[in-house]
Amino acid sequence: MPYDKFNVLKSAVVPLSRENVDTDQIIPARFLKATEREGFGDNLFRDWRYDVEGNPKPDFVLNDTTYSGKILVAGKNFGSGSSREHAVWAIYDYGFRCVVSSFFADIFKNNCLNIGVLPVTVSPEFLDKIFAAVEADPKTELEVDLDKQSITLLSTGDAESFEINTYKKENMKNGFDDIDYLLNIKGEIEEFESKG
Amino acid sequence: MEKKTLFDKIWDAHVVRSVPDGPDVFFIDKHFIHEVTSPVAFLNLEKRGIGVLYPERTIATPDHNVPTVDQEKTIKDKLSRMQVEKLRDNCKKYGIELHDLGSAHHGIVHVIGPELGVTQPGMTIVCGDSHTSTHGAFGAIAFGIGTSEVEMVLATQCIMQSKPKRMRITVDGELGKGVTSKDIILYIIAKISAAGATGYFVEYAGSAIRNLSMEARMTICNMSIEMGARGGVIAPDETTFNYLKGKQYAPKGEAWDKAVAYWKTLQTDEGAEFDKEYHFEGSDIEPMITYGTNPGMGIKVIDSIPTTEGMEGSNKASFMKSLDYMGFAPGEPIKGKKVDYVFVGSCTNGRIEDIRAVANFVKGKHKADNITAWIVPGSREVEKLAHEEGLVKILEEAGFELRQPGCSACLAMNDDKIPAGKYAVSTSNRNFEGRQGPGARTLLASPLTVAAVAVTGEITDPRDIF
């Protein structure tokens, strides 16, 4: 469905340096029992964020008021495992619009692009720089410019370019999803199908 | 003539068009849906005011959240019940074939597709579930998708996909005693890591793969996603054709002969190039088990948990967090660790061959007192066969509790949860934190190893009690 257009995002970040964060951590399976796409942000990182009684765990970054912002910065191989799009719904619903890591799992990355969360892949060195800068100053901001395909650490001026294909970039800039494109070429698809 | 891989042959035949500097418009032959990842897709179709383009290309079954006891009664959990009812309503509304709870072919979507003969060589198959890669065992391109893509397939029978790179993993030679296909795939993932095949589509080849049954091949392809691969494929051969022949949706008569002639062309051409290749020897593989919180953290049952030597920074920190969660220390042997639960089931190892392996192993033995043993068939068909072959009796005499088909404790969406802090040795596919219940500690292994653990009550090499 249509989502907010993405152009330039300037924001402080929430750092989650742990590697191999799978989608079961992002949203555990027991919270997938909805028939509508609402409220998933409440259970984002549920079992890291709350104890069994539902009390916030103070040592988890989402419960630390020092950190805030619309950009989640995560360790490598973020989003592995289950194909549940609910993981990205939870990230979006919580308020993030961009996830930065040095490596993303494939299906997770596709799911992000389909609902308007920008996955930005940076080098491991740049990722380390971000973590170091945020540790030194939690208010450190990143600027993500989709059109220029650049990500800048504003405190130091360090910048990198990131990859995204032209098609997906235009979609994100306009808030379009793939289904709009597919519906426009329905005739061509029907012809393909009939040739079986 | 251009030399092509099996993967290229199938992929290229399904590209409706390629978007310049963008993805391919990729046509999907068969689409499986279940109750958890489809409701929002149907809801969005309604919001857009559009219908399902080819309902006959989609097949549905409720599997993820269903109870595995009293399936004939109304589902107690309100949210689960709503999802299952929503699936029924949507199937009825759009004319989609549903294999409902209690029907002859109800089961885990990746178990019933092959059983029905829906899954066939050369096809493209998707489902809102990452273990859709299972169907690759038949020489099909099959992979998991998100709910937005489920919506696209329902509306247009296509998704927008960039073509993955090609990887071939060859396993040659004979497998040793007590070594199963589950050990092969756990070994491969331990070697190349949980992200080692991200960006790739894998072809499994070599004599050790070729010698496997269809059930065993499905176990391997099933776990392709656990090393990050989009999917895994095995070239179809006589084993594949023999499995499919006579299945409900398999072609019949002349159409069968024609289909087999085409399926035989689905091979990687001699000299075709892969972007990455790995070779392993079957004789190097031994019974495997995981010790950490991703499927790449696996070792031979006879080995010790790795030490942190050579690890640095966030790598070391992530490793230690994993071990803390599991209650293990670096460098200690895994054998002999006490276990609380065993789980036999899931789309990885919930097929009849798996149940047979466990039953043969525990025949005349009894589970250890400290073990709770659940066995959950992958489908009604598997359950029926297990009864007919006398396996259920053997398992019940050995102290196993047989439940009704579903995903069950693999992801613990229903009541089949491992309690916090308890250890479960499981034939399923993921050992992520909390996967089998909040705080549960999962160790992945083959059905044989799980059977051995059930009998001794601790981590055991199945070769020690043959």
Side-chain angles (χ1 to χ4, degrees), chain B residues 179-313:
Chain B
V179 179
T180 71
S181 70
K182 181 65 165 285
D183 300 304
I184 299 179
I185 191 65
L186 286 174
Y187 179 86
I188 293 171
I189 302 168
K191 285 283 179 192
I192 75 172
S193 93
T198 302
Y200 292 88
F201 207 98
V202 176
E203 178 175 346
Y204 300 98
S207 59
I209 303 291
R210 198 93 351 261
N211 290 336
L212 297 173
S213 68
M214 283 317 297
E215 284 86 349
R217 291 180 190 183
M218 283 189 253
T219 301
I220 294 200
C221 289
N222 173 277
M223 290 191 71
S224 303
I225 181 72
E226 308 312 336
M227 51 186 171
R230 276 326 292 277
V233 68
I234 295 173
D237 58 11
E238 290 302 322
T239 306
T240 322
F241 311 147
N242 290 337
Y243 178 98
L244 281 174
K245 195 158 191 179
K247 292 272 190 286
Q248 189 176 333
Y249 286 97
K252 307 277 176 340
E254 261 181 55
W256 170 261
D257 296 335
K258 210 176 138 196
V260 171
Y262 163 60
W263 294 345
K264 283 182 175 169
T265 68
L266 297 173
Q267 305 285 330
T268 290
D269 296 331
E270 191 76 34
E273 282 191 18
F274 288 84
D275 299 292
K276 198 159 195 169
E277 294 229 39
Y278 287 100
H279 291 266
F280 299 107
E281 281 303 318
S283 55
D284 290 339
I285 304 172
E286 294 184 68
M288 296 286 295
I289 195 156
T290 63
Y291 60 88
T293 55
N294 74 60
M297 301 175 84
I299 49 174
K300 292 175 178 175
V301 176
I302 53 170
D303 282 348
S304 295
I305 294 168
T307 63
T308 53
E309 205 182 308
M311 291 184 194
E312 293 179 335

Side-chain angles (χ1 to χ4, degrees), chain A residues 1-2 17-20 22-25 28-37 40 47-48 52 76-77 80-86 89 103-107 110-111 114-115 128 164-168 177-183 185-186 188-194 196, chain B residues 13-17 19 21-23 25 27 36-37 39-40 43-44 47-48 50 53-54 57 77 79-80 82-83 86 128-130 144-149 151-152 155-156 158 160-162 194-195 198-199 225 228 230 294 314-315 318 321-322 411 413 430 432-433 435 438:
Chain A
M1 298 303 279
S17 62
R18 192 158 175 183
E19 298 176 352
N20 296 312
D22 58 77
T23 52
D24 274 80
Q25 306 321 311
R30 63 187 191 281
F31 299 110
L32 306 182
K33 290 180 183 176
T35 51
E36 295 190 21
R37 197 193 129 179
F40 286 98
D47 292 339
W48 287 350
V52 281
K76 74 172 179 198
N77 197 27
S80 58
S82 161
S83 59
R84 61 188 70 162
E85 195 169 296
H86 312 64
W89 298 344
F103 196 92
F104 289 99
D106 280 339
I107 302 179
N110 273 353
N111 287 342
N114 278 331
I115 72 148
D128 286 344
I164 182 168
N165 68 49
T166 310
Y167 167 83
K168 284 289 181 192
D177 59 11
D178 287 347
I179 203 158
D180 300 318
Y181 183 97
L182 291 169
L183 288 169
I185 60 159
K186 205 169 145 197
E188 194 177 328
I189 294 169
E190 285 171 326
E191 199 189 321
F192 184 93
E193 199 268 354
S194 67
Chain B
H14 287 83
V15 175
V16 177
R17 66 151 78 164
V19 181
D21 194 23
V25 175
F27 187 83
V36 175
T37 57
V40 172
L43 192 67
N44 285 352
K47 283 185 187 162
R48 292 178 200 265
I50 52 177
L53 186 59
Y54 299 113
R57 289 184 179 272
D77 182 284
L79 294 173
S80 298
M82 275 172 60
Q83 280 191 327
K86 203 49 134 175
D129 184 276
S130 60
I145 55 175
T147 297
S148 294
E149 291 167 314
E151 184 190 344
M152 290 172 214
T156 70
C158 287
M160 310 284 285
Q161 288 288 300
S162 297
T198 302
I225 181 72
R230 276 326 292 277
N294 74 60
S314 58
N315 183 14
S318 297
K321 270 193 171 163
S322 262
L411 82 168
M413 271 194 84
R430 289 189 173 133
F432 297 152
E433 281 184 29
R435 173 79 178 180

Side-chain angles (χ1 to χ4, degrees), chain A residues 26-82:
Chain A
I26 300 173
I27 182 120
R30 63 187 191 281
F31 299 110
L32 306 182
K33 290 180 183 176
T35 51
E36 295 190 21
R37 197 193 129 179
E38 278 168 10
F40 286 98
D42 295 344
N43 293 314
L44 175 67
F45 295 116
R46 175 77 199 202
D47 292 339
W48 287 350
R49 204 166 139 198
Y50 301 102
D51 65 18
V52 281
E53 277 90 39
N55 305 309
K57 294 181 183 177
D59 58 342
F60 186 61
V61 69
L62 290 193
N63 296 324
D64 185 342
T65 49
T66 321
Y67 301 101
S68 63
K70 292 184 171 186
I71 302 174
L72 177 67
V73 183
K76 74 172 179 198
N77 197 27
F78 188 76
S80 58
S82 161

Side-chain angles (χ1 to χ4, degrees), chain B residues 450-465:
Chain B
V450 169
V453 170
V455 169
T456 62
E458 57 186 42
I459 306 293
T460 304
D461 185 336
R463 296 169 299 189
D464 291 347
I465 39 172

Side-chain angles (χ1 to χ4, degrees), chain B residues 71-127:
Chain B
Q71 279 185 354
E72 52 290 342
K73 296 182 188 160
T74 307
I75 301 173
K76 282 188 198 138
D77 182 284
K78 188 179 160 220
L79 294 173
S80 298
R81 188 172 70 239
M82 275 172 60
Q83 280 191 327
V84 173
E85 282 170 359
K86 203 49 134 175
L87 184 70
R88 285 176 188 144
D89 292 348
N90 286 324
C91 288
K92 201 171 163 195
K93 181 173 173 187
Y94 294 103
I96 292 166
E97 181 176 318
L98 170 69
H99 295 279
D100 207 348
L101 282 174
S103 69
H105 288 287
H106 170 253
I108 303 174
V109 64
H110 310 309
V111 177
I112 70 164
E115 266 174 14
L116 286 163
V118 172
T119 304
Q120 293 171 18
M123 280 182 171
T124 51
I125 299 172
V126 293
C127 172

Side-chain angles (χ1 to χ4, degrees), chain B residues 48-67:
Chain B
R48 292 178 200 265
I50 52 177
V52 176
L53 186 59
Y54 299 113
E56 69 280 11
R57 289 184 179 272
T58 294
I59 286 185
T61 195
D63 57 3
H64 277 61
N65 75 25
V66 300

